[in-house]
Amino acid sequence: MAEFMNLEAQDGVRMPWNVMPGTKQEASTSCVVPVAAIYTPIKSFPNMPLLPYTPLRCRTCRSILNPFSIVDFAAKIWTCPFCFQRNHFPHNYDSISDENLPAELFPDYTTIEYDDRSATGSPTSPPVFMFVVDTCIIEEEMAYLKSSLSQAVDLLPDHSLVGLITFGTFVHVHELGFGEIPKTYIFKGSKDISKEQLLEQLSFFLKKPKPSVGVIAGARDGLSTDAISRFLLPASECQFVLNSVLEELQKDPWPVPADQRAPRCTSTALGIAASLLGACFPGTGARIMAFVGGPSTEGQGAIVSKNLSEPIRSHKDLDKDSAPHFHKAVKFYEGLSKQLVNQGHVLDLFACALDQVGIAELKGAVEKTGGLVVLAESFGHSVFKDSLKRVFQLGDQDLGLAANGIFEINCSKDVKVQGVIGPCASMEKKGPLCSDTVVGQGGTSAWKMCGLDKDTSLCLMFEIVRKENPDGMVPSNSNHYQHQSGQMRLRVTTLSRRWVAGQGSVQELISGFDQEAAAAVMARLVSFKMETEAEFDPIRWLDKALIHLCSRFGDYQKDSPSSFSLSPRLSIFPQFIFHLRRSQFVQVFNNSPDETAYFRMILNRENVANSVVMIQPSLISYSFHSTPEPALLDVAAIAADRILLLDSYFTVVIFHGSTIAQWRKAGYHTMPEHQAFAQLLEAPHVDADAIVKERFPVPRLVVCDQYGSQARFLLAKLNPSATYNNDAPLPGGDVIFTDDVSFEVFLDHLQRLAIQ
């Protein structure tokens, strides 16, 4: 694994196949796991140079000069490694030679960044935040939310612009620039409103008449800066007004009958926020931050009727197509996501409720704009409060939020792009690079990333189109615009991987197999198929893929299960697939459509290391007998005198064995003579805090005891090697009440099927 980590540390890329199958036949049928790459476009590299000039592009394919280019120093010509076009160096490169290379030709700088101010010439624009706040929540939740928002306002950069919209039965657009008394414009929640109507009703054209032709787009095109600054002000100027509006914010005053849900017009409020930002600040890094505390019941994006007798849609309803509001809401949010992508704006969603709020419907709009999503039970929960703080935090733990990215890709002629699974939107740039097979956002070689951060990762799916045996290498170059600290930057990553094909290629393919990256790609792919293919059976698909992979790359004698073995490069992959089959991405039972959508959205934007923790959680054991050590993710790891720390990405569990729990309840850790016990209790908390601090969204921390009700958070993730219907557990151990097969049985069946 170490060499794959090193490649990631250099370029931010992990690929399942680092030695690539050389023909279409080999890649599509024999290799099972697709040829793909998980790429983190703006991963921070401490040693990466920032070049203060415009990059050199190939005049035919627009690829950028890179270390794989062939350079003729005497003639001052470079040959593009993608299309083999010969290009002349401009005069400012006259002094280059073997000894005097520009940074972009250094062999180590396969990833490099350009400060591209000269290309854009635009002044740096401040970040814009539009808070959209739900008021149909109980007083207690309202107090929690107001407190968190006040803290967020204090953390905003002084030059950032901020606006406020609140919604319940009606949508209230707050005029923060009118400081004398609170002033709001009110719109009916059940009525759609166009951008033109909105601007008319917000009196945008009182002083400056509306232009008769053209699109209204900010202060340059049709709007006065005075009109814009009534609703969006610099944080330093409106902090007092905004805080006083938040302090006085009340729960939605309209009475709700006992047999009905609150009339909540989430979609209308988001539509108004998008139109207002689109008119005032198109093309700048603006974020709509929606704080939603319950299901939407009004407007185009309603997910359920007001009658409490009608339950909110479940997975069963969606499977049977008996969710009456689902398709209409999805269609509305698809339209909203197109509008936001065209404007270059981001939708962030903070959903805090015991009920579902409509994440399943909103998924497309949040994902295509690269928005952040946080799901918690309450606005008072640490998952929400700490996650919101992290968005605005500066320093080591900041998210590195960037905006308005354009992600482009170029490949050698034998590689085509099927698509991207991840937080981006297709720019529909069709061309010879695009494969006929579409996976995710496909049919394009360029994608818009309205919002991204230093951990945002895309999964690129490739197709090998070469028919005969290849020779040589396959470079693949992806260049990426990004907006950080207001400047435009261009990040360029160029990769090269070796092809192999033919009889002796199996061992070489195995030598370049990255099983963690393969598990992450398979998880994204199976989630995508579950959402887009009718009648798709994920368990059967994963099992067939694993059997096929093992029979192709395993060592065995035919019809002899005991002779079966896998190379160390492949040996953990069956374990990943076993846990993926049991994970919340595949098993939707016991999860609502909102929870499933949330888990998949996070999976689709995280890097390989984090994705692997979601698929197969890590388990650490603490005891008096040894230092903290990794434990097998198995029920056998439970012992009365042990503490276990489980990290399943969304939840971090500290689990005390029964003896440890008894000692703790007896207060031994407070006695001076039992200092060692106090340290043992403290150790997992220190490690858990370190995990919580660096993760976004902040995970839920569960502290529980063996046989306690919350022990289920641990037991649900463990391999059930001891269940209620087999032998008794070890003394102090535990059993799991399940009919699921254990990993041993799973492996046994796999070996029998692979050797046939």
Side-chain angles (χ1 to χ4, degrees):
M1 260 342 143
E3 71 263 44
F4 305 135
M5 302 279 207
N6 294 341
L7 289 171
E8 187 177 26
Q10 184 178 337
D11 291 318
V13 177
R14 294 275 292 267
M15 298 177 73
W17 301 105
N18 288 283
V19 174
M20 292 179 56
T23 60
K24 184 172 184 172
Q25 163 75 17
E26 191 121 337
S28 57
T29 57
S30 307
C31 283
V32 186
V33 177
V35 175
I38 291 185
Y39 177 49
T40 310
I42 59 166
K43 184 178 169 70
S44 62
F45 298 114
N47 302 324
M48 181 184 62
L50 175 64
L51 307 183
Y53 49 83
T54 310
L56 280 191
R57 287 184 180 267
C58 168
R59 63 176 194 228
T60 307
C61 70
R62 308 291 296 144
S63 288
I64 290 171
L65 179 66
N66 61 68
F68 302 102
S69 306
I70 301 153
V71 179
D72 180 341
F73 292 108
K76 298 288 183 280
I77 285 173
W78 63 280
T79 305
C80 170
F82 296 99
C83 66
F84 306 111
Q85 168 71 44
R86 288 161 64 81
N87 300 277
H88 287 275
F89 281 104
H91 291 303
N92 53 332
Y93 282 78
D94 281 351
S95 62
I96 68 167
S97 66
D98 261 342
E99 286 77 43
N100 185 19
L101 286 175
E104 60 265 46
L105 288 176
F106 275 39
D108 291 348
Y109 292 156
T110 43
T111 291
I112 202 160
E113 200 156 274
Y114 296 87
D115 185 352
D116 210 11
R117 261 178 278 199
S118 55
T120 57
S122 63
T124 60
S125 53
V128 183
F129 297 98
M130 175 66 83
F131 293 119
V132 179
V133 180
D134 181 358
T135 56
C136 282
I137 50 181
I138 58 170
E139 297 290 356
E140 187 185 2
E141 287 290 298
M142 200 77 212
Y144 288 138
L145 179 54
K146 279 161 38 173
S147 155
S148 289
L149 287 174
S150 296
Q151 283 183 344
V153 169
D154 294 341
L155 290 169
L156 286 172
D158 283 347
H159 68 296
S160 63
L161 301 175
V162 61
L164 177 67
I165 292 175
T166 55
F167 68 94
T169 311
F170 295 91
V171 180
H172 299 247
V173 181
H174 294 259
E175 189 177 323
L176 300 175
F178 193 81
E180 292 77 33
I181 54 168
K183 182 178 176 185
T184 59
Y185 292 78
I186 298 178
F187 299 89
K188 193 172 182 187
S190 54
K191 190 176 167 191
D192 267 2
I193 183 161
S194 71
K195 189 161 149 186
E196 285 68 32
Q197 289 172 315
L198 179 71
L199 296 178
E200 286 285 347
Q201 293 183 22
L202 294 177
S203 321
F204 265 88
F205 305 115
L206 275 182
K207 293 180 183 168
K208 187 177 179 182
K210 181 181 176 183
S212 52
V213 290
V215 177
I216 296 162
R220 286 177 324 208
D221 295 308
L223 292 186
S224 69
T225 47
D226 290 350
I228 293 172
S229 64
R230 287 163 49 215
F231 299 99
L232 289 152
L233 272 95
S236 53
E237 288 175 32
C238 71
Q239 212 156 16
F240 175 73
V241 177
L242 192 54
N243 275 323
S244 49
V245 169
L246 287 172
E247 266 171 43
E248 289 169 19
L249 207 55
Q250 297 295 317
K251 175 180 179 289
D252 192 58
W254 299 93
V256 180
D259 62 342
Q260 292 203 347
R261 294 183 175 90
R264 183 183 278 106
C265 57
T266 312
S267 55
T268 314
L270 293 176
I272 288 173
S275 296
L276 184 57
L277 286 178
C280 298
F281 290 101
T284 60
R287 306 187 84 93
I288 297 172
M289 305 189 83
F291 300 88
V292 186
S296 172
T297 54
E298 286 270 32
Q300 298 263 20
I303 65 160
V304 68
S305 74
K306 289 195 201 73
N307 286 336
L308 277 168
S309 57
E310 182 192 317
I312 298 182
R313 80 266 173 295
S314 64
H315 277 294
K316 215 170 213 171
D317 297 327
L318 296 181
D319 290 344
K320 288 183 185 165
D321 208 10
S322 60
H325 308 272
F326 184 73
H327 295 295
K328 185 183 174 189
V330 167
K331 190 177 172 191
F332 170 81
Y333 287 120
E334 266 174 17
L336 182 71
S337 77
K338 277 185 188 147
Q339 180 187 343
L340 288 169
V341 168
N342 288 340
Q343 295 170 186
H345 296 160
V346 183
L347 173 60
D348 296 325
L349 180 61
F350 295 85
C352 298
L354 289 166
D355 219 337
Q356 297 184 67
V357 305
I359 296 178
E361 287 81 356
L362 273 156
K363 180 176 187 276
V366 175
E367 205 158 48
K368 282 182 182 164
T369 61
L372 305 170
V373 58
V374 175
L375 177 65
E377 291 172 3
S378 151
F379 287 113
H381 202 291
S382 63
V383 169
F384 165 71
K385 292 195 297 190
D386 295 346
S387 296
L388 183 61
K389 270 188 221 149
R390 281 287 307 280
V391 175
F392 302 106
Q393 202 171 15
L394 296 172
D396 295 344
Q397 303 295 339
D398 80 328
L399 298 180
L401 291 177
N404 268 323
I406 292 174
F407 176 76
E408 295 179 80
I409 189 160
N410 201 356
C411 303
S412 300
K413 64 178 173 34
D414 299 307
V415 181
K416 288 194 174 183
V417 182
Q418 292 181 336
V420 169
I421 301 177
C424 61
S426 163
M427 291 181 74
E428 297 181 9
K429 183 184 173 186
K430 297 189 170 22
L433 268 181
C434 306
S435 164
D436 295 336
T437 312
V438 172
V439 179
Q441 305 274 327
T444 179
S445 60
W447 295 263
K448 181 86 172 268
M449 299 181 76
C450 301
L452 65 163
D453 58 61
K454 60 188 183 189
D455 292 325
T456 303
S457 301
L458 301 176
C459 179
L460 308 160
M461 309 299 270
F462 298 110
E463 180 183 20
I464 308 295
V465 289
R466 200 160 195 158
K467 298 279 196 302
E468 73 287 348
N469 283 5
D471 49 280
M473 304 166 97
V474 46
S476 149
N477 167 328
S478 34
N479 39 30
H480 185 93
Y481 275 99
Q482 66 104 326
H483 199 296
Q484 203 166 32
S485 67
Q487 304 165 344
M488 291 307 282
R489 302 244 181 115
L490 177 67
R491 169 89 58 110
V492 183
T493 297
T494 315
L495 304 177
S496 168
R497 296 289 186 267
R498 201 159 51 87
W499 303 101
V500 292
Q503 286 306 308
S505 65
V506 169
Q507 285 311 314
E508 291 201 66
L509 283 171
I510 291 174
S511 71
F513 186 70
D514 179 348
Q515 37 200 350
E516 289 187 350
V521 168
M522 292 299 268
R524 287 200 197 199
L525 192 54
V526 78
S527 297
F528 171 72
K529 284 176 174 288
M530 285 178 77
E531 284 175 0
T532 53
E533 293 182 18
E535 307 296 316
F536 175 70
D537 183 345
I539 301 282
R540 189 177 170 81
W541 183 80
L542 285 170
D543 286 351
K544 277 176 78 172
L546 183 61
I547 292 163
H548 196 128
L549 189 86
C550 288
S551 64
R552 167 99 166 92
F553 295 106
D555 290 325
Y556 56 88
Q557 290 156 1
K558 199 161 170 54
D559 295 333
S560 167
S562 59
S563 67
F564 181 86
S565 71
L566 280 172
S567 147
R569 290 281 190 191
L570 288 153
S571 57
I572 313 173
F573 189 66
Q575 205 170 309
F576 286 146
I577 297 295
F578 171 75
H579 289 291
L580 177 59
R581 291 163 88 252
R582 303 180 74 221
S583 72
Q584 65 269 51
F585 308 114
V586 173
Q587 299 291 347
V588 297
F589 177 75
N590 217 11
N591 283 329
S592 66
D594 270 18
E595 286 170 310
T596 301
Y598 172 67
F599 294 139
R600 287 177 180 165
M601 284 159 89
I602 303 289
L603 173 75
N604 283 350
R605 61 176 296 131
E606 279 303 332
N607 61 21
V608 170
N610 284 341
S611 302
V612 167
V613 172
M614 293 180 212
I615 296 164
Q616 180 177 312
S618 70
L619 191 65
I620 299 171
S621 157
Y622 301 78
S623 72
F624 286 121
H625 316 305
S626 67
T627 53
E629 57 184 7
L632 278 176
L633 192 63
D634 192 297
V635 66
I638 295 175
D641 59 349
R642 261 190 197 172
I643 302 175
L644 295 175
L645 173 65
L646 176 92
D647 176 11
S648 67
Y649 194 84
F650 301 100
T651 315
V652 174
V653 183
I654 298 174
F655 175 95
H656 300 110
S658 53
T659 307
I660 300 271
Q662 283 167 353
W663 290 347
R664 191 196 68 232
K665 286 170 189 165
Y668 287 158
H669 58 293
T670 58
M671 300 175 188
E673 64 269 30
H674 292 298
Q675 201 65 43
F677 180 55
Q679 286 165 355
L680 181 68
L681 282 180
E682 182 62 21
H685 284 274
V686 173
D687 292 349
D689 286 347
I691 293 169
V692 167
K693 267 202 185 81
E694 63 174 30
R695 187 163 294 166
F696 185 91
V698 170
R700 174 179 182 172
L701 182 63
V702 176
V703 181
C704 60
D705 296 338
Q706 190 174 358
Y707 311 125
S709 67
Q710 292 208 307
R712 66 184 189 279
F713 285 102
L714 172 74
L715 296 177
K717 297 290 181 189
L718 298 179
N719 168 37
S721 60
T723 65
Y724 69 96
N725 58 11
N726 60 11
D727 298 338
L730 298 167
D734 220 326
V735 293
I736 294 180
F737 292 91
T738 181
D739 288 324
D740 283 359
V741 298
S742 68
F743 180 59
E744 293 72 23
V745 175
F746 175 78
L747 207 55
D748 190 43
H749 281 274
L750 173 64
Q751 288 172 355
R752 283 217 303 272
L753 291 163
I755 54 130
Q756 283 172 8

